[in-house]
Amino acid sequence: RAIEPVDDETYAIYRDQFGYLKQDPNPELLSTEQMAYWRQEKVRIDSPYSADGMEVLLLIPDNAVPPMQALVMMPGSDAFFSGATLEGYDWADYEPSLAVVLQSGRALVLPVWEGTFGRGLRLSSSPDDQEWREFTRSRGLRWRQDLGATLDYLETRDDIDSSGIGYLGISAGASAPLAMLAVESRVKTAVLVEGGLTGLGDHPLVQPANHAPRITIPVLMINGRYDQNFPLDSRQQPLFDLLGAEGDRKKHAIYDAGHIGYPVSQQRREITAWLDKWL
C-alpha cells in the first residue's frame, strides 16, 4: 500500500518506450480442430522481434455471430513453467472465466506470449535482483509487441469485430502485464481474474504500480477473499485503488474462496454483464 507510482513526467518517458509500429501479420493457418462447442485455430504470424514469428491460438464459439467480439488472453503461471506446451489443454475447462467468454458468443485469442509454452526468454532458477529487473524489462517490452502484432492480425479477419476487443488475464496474466493495458488503446476493457498488485522487484519501466493509475479503460477484478497468493488487503485492494478507471468503470467482485474455485454461476453473471456493458 505504501508504494508511490512515478509522476506524470517520468511516466511519459516510460510510455514512450512502449511504442509500436503497425505491421503486416502475414498469417499462416497451421491447424483447425473442432472442439466441444468451439473451433480451435492455430495461426502463425510475423513477430516484430523474432524471425520465427509467433503462434496465436483462436477459440471461436459455434454460437458466435460474425463479426464477433474477442478477448485476448494471458493465462496463469503454469504457462511459463519449463515443459509447458499448448498441446493437451482443454481451454474451456482451464478456468471457468474462459468458458463464460465462449458461451457468451465471444472469441478467445491466446498469443503464445514471450516466455510462455517454451517460447523465448528463460531465466535461471534463482536470478539475482539485477538480472530479474533486466529480465522483466525485456519481457514486458516484448509482451507489448506481442499484443500489438496480435491486434494487427485480428484487424485482418472479417469474422472479428476489431472495435470490440477486450483483455482477459488469469492470475499471473492478471498481474504482471498491466503495462499493456495502459499503453494499447485498441483494448477497450479488461477482466482480471485471480490477480493483484505484484512486481515490486521488477524494472520500474514495467512495474505494474507505475502503470495501474494510467489504466482508464473499464476493469473488472474477480478475486477470492482468502487468496493466499494475492491476499485481499495487501495485493488485491491496493491494485483496485490504484486503477485509473473511475466510478462504475471499475469493479471488484470478491468471493468466499481462495486463489481458485470461484462460484461458476456468479462468475458467469459478472463477466457476461461486464462485457455486455463495456464492449
Side-chain angles (χ1 to χ4, degrees):
R1 287 180 173 273
I3 191 168
E4 289 289 336
V6 295
D7 59 33
D8 289 344
E9 184 177 2
T10 303
Y11 186 75
I13 298 171
Y14 287 179
R15 184 186 178 95
D16 192 53
Q17 308 308 305
F18 289 89
Y20 179 76
L21 183 63
K22 191 172 182 178
Q23 64 172 23
D24 183 349
N26 292 314
E28 175 191 359
L29 180 62
L30 301 179
S31 65
T32 300
E33 184 177 2
Q34 182 62 41
M35 309 300 285
Y37 53 91
W38 71 93
R39 183 175 79 257
Q40 185 166 294
E41 296 182 7
K42 185 187 291 186
V43 179
R44 178 178 287 112
I45 63 174
D46 285 355
S47 166
Y49 59 85
S50 172
D52 295 331
M54 64 179 291
E55 292 184 357
V56 179
L57 198 67
L58 295 98
L59 312 184
I60 301 174
D62 294 340
N63 67 341
V65 179
M68 73 198 84
Q69 297 171 351
L71 274 74
V72 178
M73 176 185 70
M74 182 180 285
S77 58
D78 52 333
F80 295 85
F81 293 163
S82 177
T85 174
L86 274 178
E87 309 306 322
Y89 271 90
D90 180 350
W91 285 105
D93 190 49
Y94 173 79
E95 211 288 331
S97 59
L98 277 67
V100 170
V101 171
L102 292 173
Q103 290 162 3
S104 75
R106 297 174 172 93
L108 278 169
V109 182
L110 173 63
V112 179
W113 304 93
E114 179 74 9
T116 65
F117 303 109
R119 177 175 181 249
L121 292 170
R122 310 299 297 175
L123 258 184
S124 60
S125 57
S126 300
D128 61 30
D129 291 345
Q130 185 59 34
E131 184 184 12
W132 176 254
R133 281 164 55 91
E134 290 306 312
F135 170 76
T136 57
R137 180 184 64 83
S138 297
R139 184 184 65 176
L141 290 172
R142 290 187 175 188
W143 282 347
R144 192 275 172 274
Q145 300 295 312
D146 291 343
L147 177 60
T150 300
L151 296 178
D152 289 347
Y153 166 60
L154 295 180
E155 289 177 353
T156 70
R157 292 186 61 119
D158 293 336
D159 59 346
I160 298 291
D161 175 8
S162 60
S163 69
I165 302 296
Y167 175 82
L168 173 63
I170 310 296
S171 192
S175 311
L178 297 185
M180 299 190 303
L181 302 181
V183 303
E184 178 51 80
S185 62
R186 290 178 287 180
V187 174
K188 303 305 182 185
T189 189
V191 178
L192 306 179
V193 181
E194 303 165 10
L197 188 64
T198 185
L200 302 186
D202 292 358
H203 193 287
L205 183 66
V206 296
Q207 198 171 94
N210 289 330
H211 294 277
R214 283 83 186 186
I215 298 174
T216 57
I217 61 172
V219 178
L220 170 64
M221 287 179 57
I222 296 179
N223 290 99
R225 189 181 308 277
Y226 310 112
D227 189 332
Q228 70 280 16
N229 295 346
F230 295 98
L232 175 61
D233 290 336
S234 62
R235 299 287 184 178
Q236 299 173 30
Q237 195 63 43
L239 174 57
F240 184 76
D241 292 343
L242 278 177
L243 289 171
E246 297 181 347
D248 67 348
R249 290 170 64 86
K250 65 177 180 179
K251 181 178 182 180
H252 193 188
I254 305 171
Y255 302 130
D256 288 332
H259 187 58
I260 58 175
Y262 307 156
V264 175
S265 60
Q266 292 181 43
Q267 265 201 95
R268 180 178 295 113
R269 285 195 297 269
E270 288 284 1
I271 294 174
T272 303
W274 189 263
L275 297 179
D276 286 349
K277 180 175 183 178
W278 296 112
L279 280 185

